[in-house]
Amino acid sequence: MSEIRITARKNPLLQQVRRLLSSRREREKSGLFVADGTKLLQEAVRYWPELDTVILSDGVEAEVPENVRLVRVPCDVMESISPMQSPQGALFMCRLPKPAALVAHRGMLLLDGIQDPGNLGTILRTADALDVPVILLEGCADPYSHKTVRASMGAVFRVPVVCAGWEDVQKACADAQIPVAVTALTERAKDLRQAELKNMAVVIGSEGQGVRQEILDAADAELIIPMNSHCESLNVAVAATIVMWQMKI
């Protein structure tokens, strides 16, 4: 395999990497996204057929398929483009996948407006571990931002990410006769341990606003995670983990 060596920080490829790291619009426009780290690169090599370009610092070695472009840069150049404070010496570009098909499943999780990429990535990682289908509704963070990919620990490479609008998901669930439940802090909400979550689709709302009103109004059930009365709420990734665990019981 031949290597391309780049030493200029203003090289067009490196400038493109910076744009892809900072802009969801740029990622969608170009059909590419960037991830970082040697461990994630191993996951991409193993599971992602659309690995496009690998950029390695001097002295860093990694398994790179023959059909993938390999670029070598000095350590100071890697530091200038890496989003990490202490770069591992590996950045790589992947092609975005084609949109995954919407299929309603019992025991699936619907994410409504989860905007923090760290929380989103953690949820995707847990869903992969527990084999829980996930659909991203409107307003979620970009599943292919470098922060989400890193927090997912490669889950986005292993499991297709499904994004869909609420109306389409609602119809798909209705057609499949799958009841939709929402997590909500309301007087009507019942202890989620009393519900058959494995037969439902459960909506988790955004960190600040919760589930949208239109989804609340259309839901078949409202659920609450029991906790001490002096605790107001849980981190959304923790709440999602509890819901997914309950789905598997």
Side-chain angles (χ1 to χ4, degrees):
M1 176 187 297
S2 61
E3 292 185 8
I4 302 171
R5 183 164 182 82
I6 294 176
T7 58
R9 298 188 181 191
K10 292 186 178 181
N11 178 275
L13 174 63
L14 304 188
Q15 291 180 326
Q16 181 186 27
V17 168
R18 294 186 183 96
R19 293 194 299 271
L20 291 171
L21 285 168
S22 62
S23 171
R24 182 173 189 169
R25 179 177 297 179
E26 183 68 24
R27 291 190 288 272
E28 293 174 347
K29 177 182 176 181
S30 65
L32 293 166
F33 68 98
V34 175
D36 62 88
T38 53
K39 177 64 169 67
L40 285 177
L41 176 57
Q42 291 175 4
E43 294 295 296
V45 168
R46 183 175 181 182
Y47 294 105
W48 198 258
E50 296 298 328
L51 181 61
D52 181 88
T53 301
V54 173
I55 304 173
L56 298 177
S57 295
D58 289 337
V60 175
E61 299 299 330
E63 178 185 348
V64 179
E66 288 290 334
N67 64 326
V68 174
R69 177 172 53 171
L70 177 59
V71 177
R72 184 72 65 175
V73 298
C75 293
D76 65 306
V77 173
M78 177 62 74
E79 291 174 357
S80 74
I81 59 174
S82 174
M84 300 180 69
Q85 188 171 0
S86 299
Q88 295 181 14
L91 280 173
F92 55 98
M93 299 165 60
C94 298
R95 298 213 165 271
L96 288 171
K98 295 179 180 179
L102 168 60
V103 179
H105 296 276
R106 295 185 184 275
M108 72 177 178
L109 192 69
L110 309 178
L111 303 181
D112 180 40
I114 306 300
Q115 298 175 348
D116 182 89
N119 283 333
L120 177 59
T122 299
I123 293 170
L124 294 175
R125 178 183 181 182
T126 306
D128 179 29
L130 297 179
D131 196 24
V132 172
V134 177
I135 294 177
L136 277 58
L137 303 177
E138 297 92 342
C140 285
D142 183 0
Y144 298 105
S145 76
H146 70 276
K147 292 181 180 179
T148 307
V149 175
R150 187 189 310 146
S152 81
M153 287 300 292
V156 297
F157 298 129
R158 297 186 293 268
V159 181
V161 178
V162 182
C163 300
W166 163 241
E167 291 185 0
D168 292 335
V169 174
Q170 183 183 22
K171 182 180 185 303
C173 288
D175 291 344
Q177 298 184 328
I178 299 173
V180 176
V182 298
T183 54
L185 297 173
T186 66
E187 293 183 359
R188 299 185 300 276
K190 69 177 184 179
D191 189 324
L192 86 169
R193 294 173 297 181
Q194 300 171 4
E196 291 288 331
L197 298 193
K198 63 184 178 181
N199 293 320
M200 297 178 170
V202 180
V203 186
I204 296 282
S206 69
E207 297 87 343
Q209 303 299 321
V211 178
R212 278 176 289 159
Q213 191 62 48
E214 65 176 310
I215 300 178
L216 281 170
D217 292 342
D220 299 297
E222 296 177 17
L223 306 173
I224 191 169
I225 298 171
M227 65 184 77
N228 282 327
S229 59
H230 60 261
C231 294
E232 180 181 349
S233 63
L234 291 170
N235 169 272
V236 68
V238 173
T241 298
I242 293 172
V243 168
M244 287 187 282
W245 179 259
Q246 194 67 24
M247 285 176 171
K248 308 307 289 186
I249 295 178

